[in-house]
Amino acid sequence: MHQLRCCKATSVLKRRVWKVAAASAAAAFIPVPGAATATDLVLILREISFYRSFLDVPKDGSHKFSLLSLATQNEIKAMGVNLSSLRLGSVWLLAAFVSVQAIEEVVRFVPFLGKGVASAMAMCSTSYFLKIWLEKTEKTALLVLQETLNNLQID
């Protein structure tokens, strides 16, 4: 039953992805170099934070976090987002995101079609990134939920 609730919450979050991706596409039309990239980072980091809180993944250092096993704590830390250093849990995903952002910046200056292509790239890359991250967050949330339920049965 609890797993079903988590899956329903995830489906609600999946419906938000296109809205964030559309905002990213709109930002790609801004003719200021780097503005789209900065906007994408803010949008993505806010959305990742929202996913974690909506799916009740505990923050590092919280009481709920300290009750989890070391393996689960490491799983949460591995997918962590640190705004000060922009450290994201998956290096390959970050590398892909940065590559697409660089291509977007160049394509934007192609006459006539550049902004449209950059906008489509922004929407697709943001959507892809968020879907991958939501899957990771869901798996972690289910792990936390299962472990919490096991701890309740032991007590």
Side-chain angles (χ1 to χ4, degrees), residues 73-90:
Q73 288 180 8
N74 288 335
E75 181 78 24
I76 292 170
K77 287 178 182 177
M79 66 170 288
V81 176
N82 185 337
L83 296 175
S84 61
S85 66
L86 293 178
R87 176 183 56 84
L88 299 174
S90 296

Side-chain angles (χ1 to χ4, degrees), residues 22-143:
S24 173
F29 275 105
I30 299 171
V32 177
T37 303
T39 302
D40 283 351
L41 283 174
V42 169
L43 288 171
I44 288 170
L45 291 174
R46 282 186 181 170
E47 196 68 8
I48 288 171
S49 178
F50 183 75
Y51 292 168
R52 289 184 66 158
S53 65
F54 195 80
L55 293 173
D56 201 27
V57 175
K59 292 183 180 181
D60 188 4
S62 69
H63 178 68
K64 186 175 180 180
F65 182 83
S66 67
L67 297 175
L68 299 172
S69 70
L70 186 59
T72 305
Q73 288 180 8
N74 288 335
E75 181 78 24
I76 292 170
K77 287 178 182 177
M79 66 170 288
V81 176
N82 185 337
L83 296 175
S84 61
S85 66
L86 293 178
R87 176 183 56 84
L88 299 174
S90 296
V91 174
W92 67 268
L93 201 54
L94 179 60
F97 176 76
V98 169
S99 300
V100 169
Q101 292 299 316
I103 294 168
E104 272 180 49
E105 289 295 328
V106 173
V107 168
R108 178 172 304 138
F109 296 106
V110 173
F112 304 113
L113 299 176
K115 287 185 181 180
V117 172
S119 179
M121 288 177 68
M123 186 166 190
C124 291
S125 64
T126 300
S127 177
Y128 178 75
F129 188 90
L130 289 176
K131 285 178 183 176
I132 296 287
W133 204 269
L134 182 56
E135 288 174 11
K136 289 177 135 195
T137 307
E138 179 186 26
K139 287 178 186 174
T140 305
L142 286 171
L143 186 65

Side-chain angles (χ1 to χ4, degrees), residues 58 63-70 72-73 143-155:
H63 178 68
K64 186 175 180 180
F65 182 83
S66 67
L67 297 175
L68 299 172
S69 70
L70 186 59
T72 305
Q73 288 180 8
L143 186 65
V144 168
L145 180 63
Q146 186 62 43
E147 196 166 316
T148 303
L149 290 174
N150 289 342
N151 287 344
L152 289 174
Q153 290 175 355
I154 293 171
D155 293 342

